[in-house]
Amino acid sequence: MVIKNNIVKFRDAAAATGARLIAVSKTHSTGKILEAYDAGQRIFGENKVQELMEKQPQLPADIQWHLLGHLQRNKVKYIAPFISLIHSVDSLRLLEEIDKQAERNQRTIDCLLQVYVAREETKFGLSPEELMDLIQSEPFKSLQHVRITGLMGIATLTDREDQIRQEFRSLKVLFEKMKAMKPQGPLHLQELSMGMSADFPIALEEGSTLIRIGTAIFGNRNYPAV
Ligand SMILES: *Cc1c(COP(=O)(O)O)cnc(C)c1O
C-alpha cells in the first residue's frame, strides 16, 4: 500500500511540470517492483547490469528499463536486447560499443550523456568541455544505432539548496547550449535526467524531465554485507 501511494504521489509531482518518474528499484525485490507496477508505474531504473539481468526476465515485458549506473563496455551486450534508456554514457568508446550491440539487435538504443556537475570529485561523467568535444567529433556523427536524447546529472549530496540548484541550473544551461548549436549526428535532445529522493523538487523547478526516485518510494536499501 505504501509503495502504491508513493508511486501516485511522485508521479503526480513529476507530471505537474510535465516530467516523468523513474522508480529506482536497485536492491529491491521483484515483489516490491510488482507493487509499483500495479500502481501503473512502467519505468524502472537499476544501476547494475547483473541485477538488471536477473530481474528483467521475471517481470512484465512492458516495463521500460533504464540503466542509471556506470556501464562497462564488456557488459553492453547483455542489456542491448531490451534496455530502454541508458543514462550513464560518459565516453565515445562506450557509445561506439552500444552502437555496435544495438545494430546486432537490429534496434536503436536511446542514451543520455552523463555530465559531471557536482563540486565533489567523482570518477564518472563528462566535463562540459568533454561533452562538447564528443558531440562534435567525426566518429560520433557517424553513429547509426544510438540516439542521444539528453543529459543526466547528479548533484552534490549536501543540504545546501543553493548549491544543488546551481548545479542543476548549469546542466540545464549546457542542455540549451547544445540544442542551440544544432549539431549534426544522432541527437534528439529532449530529456534532462536530474533529481533524486533528496533533491527532486529543486530539479523539477530547474527543468528536469526525468526524476529518479528510489528511497522515497521503496524505503532504505539494504546492501549485502559483502
Ligand atoms: C540510486 C540512484 C538514484 C536514486 O536515489 P535515491 O536517493 O534512493 O532516490 C538516482 N540516480 C542514480 C544514478 C542512482 O544511482
Side-chain angles (χ1 to χ4, degrees):
M1 217 34 220
V2 176
I3 290 178
K4 283 196 181 177
N5 291 343
N6 288 341
I7 289 292
V8 172
K9 184 170 96 185
F10 293 112
R11 188 208 288 144
D12 288 353
T17 60
R20 289 177 301 155
L21 169 67
I22 302 170
V24 181
S25 51
K26 64 190 187 199
T27 78
H28 296 294
S29 66
T30 51
K32 281 183 163 188
I33 295 175
L34 281 173
E35 264 185 71
Y37 181 90
D38 288 341
Q41 182 65 22
R42 291 296 179 272
I43 311 177
F44 290 87
E46 290 280 337
N47 73 334
K48 292 206 168 78
V49 169
Q50 180 69 35
E51 187 176 343
L52 178 53
M53 302 254 313
E54 280 166 25
K55 286 174 171 173
Q56 188 265 343
Q58 302 179 46
L59 288 159
D62 64 342
I63 287 181
Q64 297 159 39
W65 291 102
H66 288 201
L67 187 80
L68 310 177
H70 182 66
L71 176 59
Q72 290 173 320
R73 272 180 300 137
N74 62 1
K75 296 201 174 146
V76 173
K77 56 179 175 286
Y78 301 120
I79 59 168
F82 66 87
I83 199 74
S84 169
L85 181 63
I86 300 174
H87 287 236
S88 45
V89 175
D90 61 358
S91 73
L92 179 63
R93 286 177 80 202
L94 176 59
L95 207 49
E96 286 172 334
E97 176 63 18
I98 297 169
D99 189 76
K100 183 171 122 190
Q101 297 299 337
E103 182 173 18
R104 279 194 184 157
N105 287 278
Q106 294 174 293
R107 59 186 296 244
T108 299
I109 297 181
D110 285 350
C111 300
L112 304 179
L113 295 172
Q114 181 174 352
V115 182
Y116 161 80
V117 287
R119 271 188 231 163
E120 338 179 297
E121 277 302 318
T122 164
K123 286 183 287 183
F124 305 124
L126 297 154
S127 69
E129 294 74 28
E130 287 168 334
L131 171 72
M132 291 301 165
D133 287 349
L134 194 161
I135 63 165
Q136 293 176 89
S137 72
E138 288 307 320
F140 173 77
K141 290 178 194 168
S142 62
L143 296 174
Q144 299 284 331
H145 305 276
V146 289
R147 207 169 60 139
I148 300 300
T149 59
L151 301 179
M152 186 273 258
I154 303 174
T156 303
L157 191 61
T158 171
D159 12 337
R160 290 200 45 199
E161 202 183 303
D162 55 338
Q163 183 180 342
I164 295 169
R165 189 177 297 282
Q166 213 43 61
E167 291 173 359
F168 286 147
R169 204 165 278 179
S170 68
L171 192 65
K172 169 83 172 172
V173 166
L174 206 53
F175 183 63
E176 295 303 332
K177 183 176 159 190
M178 263 172 85
K179 281 208 259 186
M181 283 166 55
K182 300 197 195 314
Q184 291 175 355
L187 290 146
H188 188 73
L189 300 173
Q190 53 191 9
E191 306 287 6
L192 253 188
S193 167
M194 53 189 201
M196 310 178 20
S197 292
D199 56 20
F200 77 90
I202 308 173
L204 288 172
E205 285 169 14
E206 297 303 328
S208 173
T209 67
L210 289 171
I211 54 172
R212 313 179 305 264
I213 312 285
T215 313
I217 293 172
F218 296 107
N220 286 327
R221 288 182 283 273
N222 293 313
Y223 288 100
V226 276

